[in-house]
Amino acid sequence: MQILIINPNTTASMTAKIGASARSVANPGTEVTTVNPDKGPVSIEGFYDEAFAVPGLIEEIRKGEAQGYDGYIVACFDDPGLTAARTITDRPVVGICEAAIHMATLVALRLCIITTMQRSVAGAEELIRRYGVTDRCRMRWIEASVLDIETPGTDVADQLRSEVQKTVREDNAEAVLLGCAGMADLAGALTQEFGLPVIDGVAAAVKLAEAMIGLGLKTSKVGGYGAQLAKVYTGDFAKYQPGS
Amino acid sequence: MQILIINPNTTASMTAKIGASARSVANPGTEVTTVNPDKGPVSIEGFYDEAFAVPGLIEEIRKGEAQGYDGYIVACFDDPGLTAARTITDRPVVGICEAAIHMATLVALRLCIITTMQRSVAGAEELIRRYGVTDRCRMRWIEASVLDIETPGTDVADQLRSEVQKTVREDNAEAVLLGCAGMADLAGALTQEFGLPVIDGVAAAVKLAEAMIGLGLKTSKVGGYGAQLAKVYTGDFAKYQPGS
Amino acid sequence: MQILIINPNTTASMTAKIGASARSVANPGTEVTTVNPDKGPVSIEGFYDEAFAVPGLIEEIRKGEAQGYDGYIVACFDDPGLTAARTITDRPVVGICEAAIHMATLVALRLCIITTMQRSVAGAEELIRRYGVTDRCRMRWIEASVLDIETPGTDVADQLRSEVQKTVREDNAEAVLLGCAGMADLAGALTQEFGLPVIDGVAAAVKLAEAMIGLGLKTSKVGGYGAQLAKVYTGDFAKYQPGS
Amino acid sequence: MQILIINPNTTASMTAKIGASARSVANPGTEVTTVNPDKGPVSIEGFYDEAFAVPGLIEEIRKGEAQGYDGYIVACFDDPGLTAARTITDRPVVGICEAAIHMATLVALRLCIITTMQRSVAGAEELIRRYGVTDRCRMRWIEASVLDIETPGTDVADQLRSEVQKTVREDNAEAVLLGCAGMADLAGALTQEFGLPVIDGVAAAVKLAEAMIGLGLKTSKVGGYGAQLAKVYTGDFAKYQPGS
Amino acid sequence: MQILIINPNTTASMTAKIGASARSVANPGTEVTTVNPDKGPVSIEGFYDEAFAVPGLIEEIRKGEAQGYDGYIVACFDDPGLTAARTITDRPVVGICEAAIHMATLVALRLCIITTMQRSVAGAEELIRRYGVTDRCRMRWIEASVLDIETPGTDVADQLRSEVQKTVREDNAEAVLLGCAGMADLAGALTQEFGLPVIDGVAAAVKLAEAMIGLGLKTSKVGGYGAQLAKVYTGDFAKYQPGS
Amino acid sequence: MQILIINPNTTASMTAKIGASARSVANPGTEVTTVNPDKGPVSIEGFYDEAFAVPGLIEEIRKGEAQGYDGYIVACFDDPGLTAARTITDRPVVGICEAAIHMATLVALRLCIITTMQRSVAGAEELIRRYGVTDRCRMRWIEASVLDIETPGTDVADQLRSEVQKTVREDNAEAVLLGCAGMADLAGALTQEFGLPVIDGVAAAVKLAEAMIGLGLKTSKVGGYGAQLAKVYTGDFAKYQPGS
């Protein structure tokens, strides 16, 4: 089974970290490949970055289709481009936010997502609504840029620790979701320390993708995820034209 | 990896069919065991049957704990006893309705559950609400008892076919969920015939359980799924007393 | 008019207290009988206890049917077994959580349920969702076991008092619902002290049951509460078989 | 126990019919008085009529307060003026739509309101939303004015019969609510004929009001239903000034 | 273009302030007229005041219709009488709460309404629900009567300032809505000081009404806002009879 | 006042038609400019097309910022790129779907969007959810591609007519929203013919944008729409780097 994980930002060190997290949970028979686009933002922190991460993401999935991958993971907690990606392949495409939420609801009633910055809260709440957990999922945040999280020596882990503690006491949270692919390596230690599920979306998505592929589940081609209609794309984007 | 599937009704032929469906999708390294309680209803078709299926279900999970299973599946589309079961083990416990819904939302925007009888609709809608898909999931039904579905020569397959057709045309459904564990063997053929995902909850649950076990995900013991408090159970049920 | 109140746990002292609360509000023409099963948990504090309280509860209602009661009350704030109970009688069956919520919405816009323990919050929130008051009902909690509440000399009343104060100030609550049948005797004093409705579910349910019986209202036998289909129950539970 | 029922329109024949329906279910110890304002619309069929029914309704409740009634019922299915009425008394004030809905959810999972005219549907849906049953309550309609319903020899009963049949078959409705106080006398026959609860809001409200009064439940004076602040009302409405 | 703004309370100084706020944003070609009824409450602070503000409001709109206004604004943040008003004209009728909310959602994801008193919160939450922003709108409050706000030398501005600060920090609010027409003159300064949109509903409604009139948009006469059916109104209210 | 309307597809004839619709409702003092990107899809019919329409859209808004426009309209009914666009300007950015919905809720209680193709329904429902009208908005569809709508001699108008008729009769719709910018020229005739508001999103957005600009309303820079953080964009997209 071959899974392609696309880190939709262009920071190779984060791609590597994502790959490590993914491989640490992948089945023996699963071959995980990680890539990132060569175009677009070095980190995704808001709607604008998302918009420019999507074309590169799509391009990587199109390349993946040519190479015959069995499934895809979009490794950014904003789940950018997920719906578009699903129109170009019938193979499973899994976002790490949705993966974390699905897994979490199977082991806990009340959830809390801890995201990187206050400014990311409102955007993440749109996802919470889309995934149907508004009533049971709180948002909390630290203050650290995505690239800070990559940098050794910051207090990111301490900030996370403090928010986990608060959400258990004040919000009755029963599981915590780490709101950034870059936090993947902290999930294990926090789970240990606090004795409750602290979920990394990358790992969750790898296991979900394996499950879907193993099940032979394909993206529906009836309705919203149907194959894109043939049409002309002009200018710089002609190369992305459906069918091209 | 050892997964115990409990058919919470007492009909062994259905347990066997569930086992066949489960094994057909299980990973090579997964050992699937199927059981059904020796007490309770021969089929589960409503709230009353559910109530008397739960103690036997719990008993099987308690036996499973003694034997060291890695995870459990409750193989009835009403997801009976799921919350209770989660309090007695930190191993994943997956219901087949929730499994089917989670999987379906990863490949389709609009869903339809086809259940066995009109009288089951209102109950199933409670689950739809709990799982957060009220806005995107329709219910349809055929008219066949759970044991009819087990019986060769009925028109169950034809009735299902007719409802699948209607839900695609009239409800814009993009994926169909088979609302009874006994329909497991029909998912493949319907998927083929209609060219859209027709999901059997048993198979979906096996793959989700494998995913959760592989991820090392444990049921949260903080909050609603916390270990049952020690206390006395009297009479016939003394043997189910927490800690006994 | 004869109403049977089932305390679904096996603690007779709590059954007695429930009876006292019920009789203090019952109409002169209402004969209130209280029972508790002889099997099952001594207190209900979570999903597991609920599961083992239901068969005994059902048994008491079946006995009640043989004796011709006009209606039934399930006297535990988790409303366990309510849906199952409704399938075996067309007489009204009222839960104390739902009774408290219905009554409260008739006299207040914003509600607060004060439950016994933090671990009960997530479960109670499922009921809030089912009864359609998610947007207007907050949860608070003290830390006391159900049996503590039965014990003289604890600080339960003080803890409740403190939470009532907080919910009025911080949550804009206009009515308070006592989240445990064992708190029934405190409703009057708290109502007095704080000058807002503090509702005991037992008393609320008695009055609602009287209302429904007086109205001649029967549980619908069309759909989800329809009479259980005839079928075999095996083993220990054969005696609960529909029609038996 | 003295209950004042206000028919908020000025049609005395409808007031009489409401009174008959109310008395047919009232407890022996309940004295039911019915009134209607001497000002305002002869029937209430939309937002405009509602607006001019409310002052007369309030006036009747204020008179009632002077006479010491124990509780009030607003006998129009649009529940006009309910929130205003609750600010001028701490006695229970019950609307017939809310009463019917509360009662119905205690005996059925899925509901259908049959209203008088298509143009009333959107307004009634606002109430459905307010009472938290959007997900479980359908609207249907006949085409008859409120005064038609009062007139012998119309086909109102036949139209209702036809909609009850349709809602059971097509909407899975388990209980039907008659969407106009003027339909009160048809509830019994329809219940008989169709074998499911067909609920008249007037009767439901009488029993709920008795229940609340018997319970000693008062409208909360904390928050939105708090006593109106003292202030000047000018012109024609000076007589309605709080405290006047 | 001629817009009639009705301040539904009878305090002329507030009407004047509303007019000033309205004219400061109106287009050059827009002629704004402000009126208040000569009957009813001097301020609107709850459901009771609302009920007695509506007839006067309707009367002013009926007079407006005779004079040929192009649109109407109801200048009280409780949006009283909005639905009734829409049945008597096909010209746009805009409430200032709904106007503020619509405008706010176009420039911000998370909102906060700051209202005058804690007792107004529950009522305003009904509007939040009706306008579909429950998930994204918080309520805060100061403690000041509507007429206090009119009085120079109070600490209303300071209280507002303090709540704006808190909502940005604690609630992640991105825009603030001033919950009383009397606060209109403070919006500009607060916007400046806090660097986020602080929206006055009066100004928002003027611009929305101009937009609707410019678009030729008429209130739908199909369904709930359809012209009131002809019928008799008795007593004091005969003059409000539809068609009179 | 200068408004820039961006047709996010690359079909100039549609841009022209949008411009005509916009100018037909713009205020005399409003200068409307229309553009379309030189890169991307010739029509937007699904998530994939959307993804590749956004960069060109952003580019046009960035050019617009350099030229000092007062506000922007995104003229595609899927509201693509709206959130991203709001991060690069504090000037109002209005989508035509949201504009149509906001306007419609001011004149009608129940809405219906008629979209171009069945496959567009599920995507549009995501918008309906985001804009808070799930409970009051139905979807219907014809079967015509976006470019068909541009082509004279098709039966698009007849198909629309038929769906308007059905939605009024069967769905109780009170206002209709045309679900494609290309249908702009049909709104007037359909409004005439059916006597209810048939809303073109382009015209609605022009008037809303004028309203917001006139009000001095700016997009909040606190939270989700805050200015994009400075960072490196690599490859083809370096030119879109924030600050570049």
Side-chain angles (χ1 to χ4, degrees):
Chain A
M1 183 183 302
Q2 314 236 7
I3 295 177
L4 181 62
I5 303 183
I6 304 103
N7 168 17
N9 74 36
T10 58
T11 298
S13 63
M14 192 178 293
T15 311
K17 191 200 266 192
I18 288 166
S21 169
R23 282 182 201 99
S24 74
V25 298
N27 284 337
T30 302
E31 195 177 323
V32 169
T33 308
T34 52
V35 291
N36 58 256
D38 61 3
K39 60 171 67 70
V42 294
S43 63
I44 301 179
E45 295 167 311
F47 301 120
Y48 185 88
D49 290 340
E50 270 185 59
F52 291 100
V54 172
L57 164 74
I58 296 290
E59 196 159 349
E60 297 305 322
I61 292 182
R62 287 178 64 148
K63 282 190 222 159
E65 284 292 281
Q67 291 159 33
Y69 281 95
D70 299 299
Y72 303 91
I73 290 168
V74 178
C76 166
F77 209 82
D78 297 323
D79 285 357
L82 208 55
T83 52
R86 283 180 180 146
T87 66
I88 55 168
T89 173
D90 64 359
R91 304 293 160 163
V93 184
V94 181
I96 67 172
C97 174
E98 66 175 358
I101 286 178
H102 286 296
M103 286 296 198
T105 64
L106 294 164
V107 294
L109 291 159
R110 291 183 62 86
L111 321 179
C112 178
I113 296 173
I114 306 179
T115 186
T116 48
M117 286 182 284
Q118 187 171 13
R119 59 180 289 151
S120 304
V121 170
E125 284 181 336
E126 299 293 309
L127 293 182
I128 286 176
R129 224 168 270 136
R130 194 194 299 166
Y131 300 141
V133 290
T134 299
D135 290 343
R136 53 181 88 240
C137 187
R138 274 286 313 263
M139 291 292 308
R140 285 187 172 268
W141 62 93
I142 58 174
E143 280 301 334
S145 76
V146 168
L147 297 183
D148 280 354
I149 294 172
E150 289 299 277
T151 312
T154 64
D155 67 342
V156 165
D158 286 342
Q159 285 195 60
L160 278 175
R161 205 168 280 128
S162 155
E163 291 304 317
V164 173
Q165 209 154 45
K166 281 192 246 167
T167 199
V168 172
R169 282 198 202 144
E170 297 170 24
D171 311 332
N172 291 319
E174 300 174 4
V176 170
L177 291 73
L178 298 181
C180 175
M183 298 170 178
D185 52 342
L186 301 170
L190 289 167
T191 297
Q192 283 298 109
E193 182 174 347
F194 290 96
L196 89 176
V198 177
I199 299 175
D200 157 40
V202 173
V206 168
K207 302 312 290 182
L208 260 187
E210 286 177 342
M212 295 166 77
I213 296 166
L215 189 56
L217 190 63
K218 299 279 170 65
T219 297
S220 180
K221 291 295 140 182
V222 172
Y225 296 146
Q228 192 52 45
L229 300 176
K231 69 181 55 169
V232 172
Y233 278 30
T234 59
D236 295 359
F237 290 166
K239 64 180 163 183
Y240 296 111
Q241 182 171 312
S244 69
Chain B
M1 184 183 299
Q2 314 236 8
I3 294 177
L4 180 63
I5 303 183
I6 303 104
N7 168 19
N9 73 36
T10 58
T11 298
S13 64
M14 192 178 293
T15 311
K17 192 201 267 192
I18 288 166
S21 170
R23 281 181 201 100
S24 75
V25 298
N27 283 338
T30 302
E31 196 176 323
V32 168
T33 307
T34 52
V35 291
N36 57 256
D38 60 3
K39 61 170 67 70
V42 295
S43 64
I44 302 179
E45 294 166 312
F47 301 120
Y48 185 87
D49 289 340
E50 269 184 62
F52 290 100
V54 173
L57 164 74
I58 297 288
E59 196 158 351
E60 297 305 323
I61 293 181
R62 288 179 63 147
K63 283 191 220 158
E65 284 292 281
Q67 291 160 34
Y69 281 96
D70 298 299
Y72 303 91
I73 290 168
V74 179
C76 166
F77 210 82
D78 297 323
D79 286 355
L82 208 55
T83 52
R86 283 183 180 143
T87 67
I88 54 167
T89 172
D90 64 358
R91 305 291 161 163
V93 184
V94 181
I96 68 172
C97 174
E98 66 176 356
I101 287 177
H102 286 296
M103 286 296 198
T105 63
L106 294 164
V107 295
L109 291 159
R110 291 182 62 87
L111 320 179
C112 178
I113 295 174
I114 306 179
T115 185
T116 48
M117 287 182 284
Q118 186 171 13
R119 57 179 289 151
S120 304
V121 170
E125 284 180 336
E126 299 293 310
L127 293 182
I128 286 177
R129 224 168 270 137
R130 193 195 298 166
Y131 301 142
V133 291
T134 298
D135 290 343
R136 52 182 86 239
C137 188
R138 274 286 313 264
M139 291 292 307
R140 287 188 170 268
W141 62 94
I142 59 175
E143 281 301 334
S145 76
V146 168
L147 297 183
D148 280 354
I149 295 172
E150 288 300 275
T151 312
T154 64
D155 67 342
V156 165
D158 285 343
Q159 285 194 59
L160 277 175
R161 204 169 281 128
S162 156
E163 292 303 318
V164 173
Q165 208 154 49
K166 280 193 247 167
T167 199
V168 171
R169 282 197 201 145
E170 297 170 23
D171 312 331
N172 291 319
E174 300 175 3
V176 170
L177 291 72
L178 298 180
C180 175
M183 298 170 176
D185 54 342
L186 300 169
L190 290 166
T191 297
Q192 283 298 108
E193 183 173 348
F194 289 97
L196 89 175
V198 177
I199 299 175
D200 158 40
V202 174
V206 168
K207 301 312 289 181
L208 259 187
E210 288 177 341
M212 294 166 77
I213 295 166
L215 190 56
L217 191 63
K218 300 279 171 63
T219 298
S220 180
K221 292 293 140 184
V222 172
Y225 295 146
Q228 192 52 43
L229 300 176
K231 69 181 55 169
V232 172
Y233 277 32
T234 59
D236 294 0
F237 290 165
K239 64 180 162 183
Y240 296 110
Q241 180 172 314
S244 68
Chain C
M1 183 183 300
Q2 313 236 8
I3 294 176
L4 181 63
I5 303 183
I6 303 103
N7 168 16
N9 73 37
T10 58
T11 298
S13 63
M14 192 177 292
T15 311
K17 191 200 267 192
I18 287 166
S21 170
R23 283 181 200 97
S24 73
V25 298
N27 284 338
T30 302
E31 196 177 320
V32 169
T33 308
T34 51
V35 293
N36 57 253
D38 62 1
K39 60 171 66 72
V42 294
S43 64
I44 301 179
E45 295 166 312
F47 302 120
Y48 185 88
D49 289 340
E50 271 185 61
F52 290 99
V54 172
L57 164 75
I58 296 289
E59 194 159 351
E60 297 305 323
I61 293 181
R62 288 178 66 146
K63 284 190 220 158
E65 283 294 280
Q67 291 159 33
Y69 281 95
D70 298 300
Y72 304 91
I73 290 168
V74 179
C76 165
F77 210 82
D78 296 324
D79 286 357
L82 209 55
T83 52
R86 284 183 179 141
T87 66
I88 54 167
T89 172
D90 64 359
R91 306 290 161 164
V93 185
V94 181
I96 67 172
C97 175
E98 68 176 356
I101 286 177
H102 285 297
M103 287 296 198
T105 63
L106 294 163
V107 295
L109 291 159
R110 291 183 62 86
L111 321 178
C112 179
I113 296 174
I114 306 179
T115 187
T116 47
M117 287 182 282
Q118 186 171 13
R119 58 181 288 151
S120 304
V121 170
E125 284 180 336
E126 300 293 310
L127 293 182
I128 286 176
R129 223 168 271 136
R130 195 196 294 168
Y131 300 142
V133 291
T134 299
D135 290 343
R136 52 181 88 239
C137 188
R138 274 286 314 261
M139 294 292 307
R140 284 188 173 267
W141 62 92
I142 58 174
E143 281 301 333
S145 77
V146 168
L147 297 183
D148 279 354
I149 295 172
E150 288 300 275
T151 312
T154 63
D155 68 343
V156 165
D158 286 342
Q159 285 194 59
L160 278 175
R161 205 169 282 128
S162 155
E163 291 304 318
V164 173
Q165 210 155 45
K166 280 192 246 168
T167 198
V168 172
R169 282 198 202 144
E170 296 169 24
D171 311 332
N172 291 319
E174 300 175 5
V176 169
L177 291 73
L178 297 181
C180 175
M183 298 171 178
D185 53 344
L186 300 169
L190 290 167
T191 297
Q192 283 298 110
E193 183 173 348
F194 290 96
L196 89 175
V198 176
I199 299 174
D200 158 39
V202 173
V206 168
K207 302 313 289 182
L208 260 188
E210 287 177 342
M212 294 166 76
I213 296 165
L215 188 57
L217 190 63
K218 299 279 172 61
T219 298
S220 180
K221 292 293 141 184
V222 173
Y225 296 145
Q228 191 52 44
L229 301 176
K231 69 181 55 168
V232 174
Y233 277 30
T234 59
D236 295 358
F237 289 166
K239 64 181 163 181
Y240 296 110
Q241 182 171 310
S244 68
Chain D
M1 184 182 302
Q2 313 236 9
I3 295 176
L4 180 63
I5 304 185
I6 304 103
N7 168 16
N9 74 36
T10 59
T11 298
S13 63
M14 193 179 292
T15 312
K17 191 199 268 192
I18 288 166
S21 169
R23 282 181 200 98
S24 74
V25 298
N27 283 339
T30 302
E31 197 177 322
V32 168
T33 308
T34 52
V35 292
N36 57 254
D38 61 2
K39 62 172 63 72
V42 295
S43 64
I44 301 178
E45 295 168 312
F47 301 120
Y48 185 87
D49 290 341
E50 270 183 61
F52 291 100
V54 172
L57 164 74
I58 296 288
E59 196 158 350
E60 298 304 325
I61 292 181
R62 288 179 63 147
K63 284 191 221 157
E65 283 293 282
Q67 292 160 32
Y69 281 96
D70 299 301
Y72 304 91
I73 290 168
V74 179
C76 166
F77 210 81
D78 296 324
D79 286 356
L82 208 55
T83 52
R86 283 182 180 144
T87 67
I88 55 167
T89 173
D90 63 358
R91 305 291 161 164
V93 185
V94 181
I96 68 172
C97 174
E98 66 176 358
I101 286 178
H102 286 295
M103 286 295 199
T105 62
L106 293 164
V107 295
L109 291 159
R110 290 183 63 86
L111 321 179
C112 178
I113 296 174
I114 306 179
T115 185
T116 48
M117 286 182 285
Q118 186 171 15
R119 57 179 288 149
S120 304
V121 171
E125 285 180 334
E126 300 293 309
L127 293 181
I128 286 176
R129 225 168 270 137
R130 195 195 296 166
Y131 301 142
V133 291
T134 299
D135 290 343
R136 52 181 87 238
C137 188
R138 273 287 312 261
M139 292 293 305
R140 286 188 171 266
W141 63 93
I142 60 176
E143 279 303 332
S145 77
V146 168
L147 297 182
D148 280 354
I149 295 172
E150 289 300 273
T151 312
T154 63
D155 67 342
V156 165
D158 287 342
Q159 284 194 59
L160 277 175
R161 204 169 281 126
S162 155
E163 292 304 318
V164 173
Q165 209 155 47
K166 278 191 248 168
T167 198
V168 171
R169 280 196 203 145
E170 296 169 24
D171 313 330
N172 292 319
E174 301 175 3
V176 169
L177 291 72
L178 298 180
C180 176
M183 299 170 177
D185 52 343
L186 301 169
L190 289 167
T191 297
Q192 282 300 108
E193 184 174 346
F194 289 97
L196 88 176
V198 176
I199 299 174
D200 158 40
V202 174
V206 169
K207 302 312 290 180
L208 259 188
E210 288 177 343
M212 294 166 77
I213 295 166
L215 188 58
L217 191 62
K218 299 280 171 62
T219 298
S220 180
K221 292 293 141 183
V222 172
Y225 295 146
Q228 192 53 44
L229 300 176
K231 69 181 55 168
V232 173
Y233 278 30
T234 61
D236 295 0
F237 289 165
K239 64 179 163 182
Y240 296 111
Q241 181 171 311
S244 70
Chain E
M1 182 184 300
Q2 313 236 9
I3 295 176
L4 181 63
I5 303 184
I6 304 102
N7 169 15
N9 74 37
T10 59
T11 298
S13 62
M14 193 178 292
T15 312
K17 191 199 267 193
I18 288 166
S21 169
R23 283 182 200 98
S24 75
V25 299
N27 283 338
T30 302
E31 198 177 320
V32 168
T33 308
T34 52
V35 293
N36 57 254
D38 61 2
K39 60 172 66 72
V42 294
S43 64
I44 301 178
E45 295 166 312
F47 301 121
Y48 185 87
D49 289 341
E50 271 184 61
F52 291 99
V54 172
L57 164 74
I58 296 289
E59 196 158 351
E60 297 305 323
I61 293 181
R62 287 178 64 146
K63 283 190 223 159
E65 283 293 281
Q67 291 160 34
Y69 281 96
D70 299 299
Y72 304 91
I73 290 168
V74 179
C76 166
F77 211 82
D78 297 323
D79 285 357
L82 208 55
T83 53
R86 284 183 179 142
T87 66
I88 55 167
T89 173
D90 64 357
R91 303 293 160 163
V93 185
V94 181
I96 67 172
C97 174
E98 66 175 358
I101 286 177
H102 286 296
M103 286 296 198
T105 63
L106 294 164
V107 294
L109 291 159
R110 291 183 62 87
L111 320 179
C112 178
I113 295 174
I114 305 179
T115 186
T116 48
M117 287 182 284
Q118 186 171 14
R119 58 180 287 150
S120 305
V121 170
E125 285 180 335
E126 299 293 310
L127 293 181
I128 286 176
R129 225 168 269 136
R130 195 196 296 166
Y131 300 141
V133 291
T134 299
D135 290 342
R136 53 181 87 239
C137 188
R138 273 286 313 261
M139 291 292 307
R140 287 188 170 266
W141 63 93
I142 59 174
E143 279 303 332
S145 77
V146 168
L147 297 182
D148 279 355
I149 294 172
E150 288 299 276
T151 313
T154 62
D155 67 341
V156 165
D158 287 341
Q159 285 194 58
L160 277 175
R161 205 168 280 129
S162 156
E163 291 304 318
V164 173
Q165 210 154 47
K166 279 192 247 166
T167 199
V168 171
R169 282 199 202 142
E170 296 169 24
D171 313 331
N172 291 320
E174 301 175 3
V176 169
L177 291 72
L178 298 180
C180 176
M183 298 170 179
D185 53 342
L186 300 170
L190 289 167
T191 297
Q192 282 298 109
E193 183 174 345
F194 289 97
L196 88 176
V198 177
I199 299 175
D200 158 40
V202 173
V206 168
K207 302 313 289 180
L208 260 187
E210 287 177 343
M212 294 165 78
I213 296 166
L215 189 57
L217 191 62
K218 299 281 172 60
T219 298
S220 181
K221 292 293 139 183
V222 172
Y225 295 146
Q228 192 52 44
L229 300 176
K231 69 180 55 166
V232 173
Y233 278 30
T234 60
D236 294 358
F237 289 166
K239 64 180 163 181
Y240 297 110
Q241 182 170 311
S244 68
Chain F
M1 184 184 298
Q2 313 236 9
I3 295 176
L4 180 63
I5 303 183
I6 303 102
N7 169 16
N9 74 36
T10 58
T11 298
S13 63
M14 191 178 292
T15 311
K17 191 199 268 192
I18 288 166
S21 169
R23 282 183 200 97
S24 74
V25 298
N27 284 338
T30 302
E31 197 177 320
V32 168
T33 307
T34 52
V35 292
N36 57 254
D38 60 2
K39 60 170 65 73
V42 294
S43 64
I44 301 179
E45 295 168 311
F47 301 120
Y48 185 87
D49 289 342
E50 271 185 61
F52 291 99
V54 172
L57 164 74
I58 296 289
E59 195 158 351
E60 297 305 322
I61 292 182
R62 288 178 63 146
K63 283 191 222 159
E65 283 294 280
Q67 292 160 33
Y69 281 96
D70 299 299
Y72 303 91
I73 290 169
V74 178
C76 166
F77 210 81
D78 297 323
D79 286 356
L82 209 54
T83 50
R86 284 182 179 143
T87 66
I88 55 167
T89 172
D90 63 358
R91 305 290 161 165
V93 184
V94 181
I96 68 172
C97 174
E98 68 175 356
I101 286 177
H102 286 296
M103 286 297 197
T105 63
L106 293 163
V107 295
L109 292 159
R110 291 183 61 87
L111 320 179
C112 178
I113 295 173
I114 307 179
T115 186
T116 47
M117 287 182 284
Q118 186 170 13
R119 57 180 287 151
S120 304
V121 170
E125 284 181 337
E126 300 292 310
L127 292 182
I128 285 176
R129 224 168 271 136
R130 195 195 297 168
Y131 300 142
V133 291
T134 299
D135 290 343
R136 53 181 87 240
C137 187
R138 274 287 312 263
M139 292 293 307
R140 285 189 172 267
W141 62 94
I142 58 174
E143 281 301 333
S145 77
V146 169
L147 297 183
D148 279 354
I149 296 172
E150 289 299 274
T151 313
T154 64
D155 68 343
V156 165
D158 287 342
Q159 285 194 58
L160 277 174
R161 204 169 281 128
S162 156
E163 292 304 317
V164 173
Q165 210 155 44
K166 280 191 247 166
T167 198
V168 172
R169 281 197 202 146
E170 297 170 24
D171 313 331
N172 291 318
E174 301 174 4
V176 169
L177 290 73
L178 298 180
C180 175
M183 298 170 176
D185 53 343
L186 301 169
L190 290 166
T191 296
Q192 282 299 108
E193 184 173 348
F194 289 96
L196 89 175
V198 177
I199 298 174
D200 158 39
V202 173
V206 168
K207 301 313 289 182
L208 260 188
E210 287 177 343
M212 295 166 77
I213 296 166
L215 188 57
L217 190 63
K218 299 279 171 61
T219 298
S220 179
K221 292 293 139 184
V222 172
Y225 296 146
Q228 191 52 43
L229 301 177
K231 69 180 55 165
V232 173
Y233 278 30
T234 60
D236 293 0
F237 289 166
K239 63 181 163 182
Y240 296 111
Q241 181 171 313
S244 68

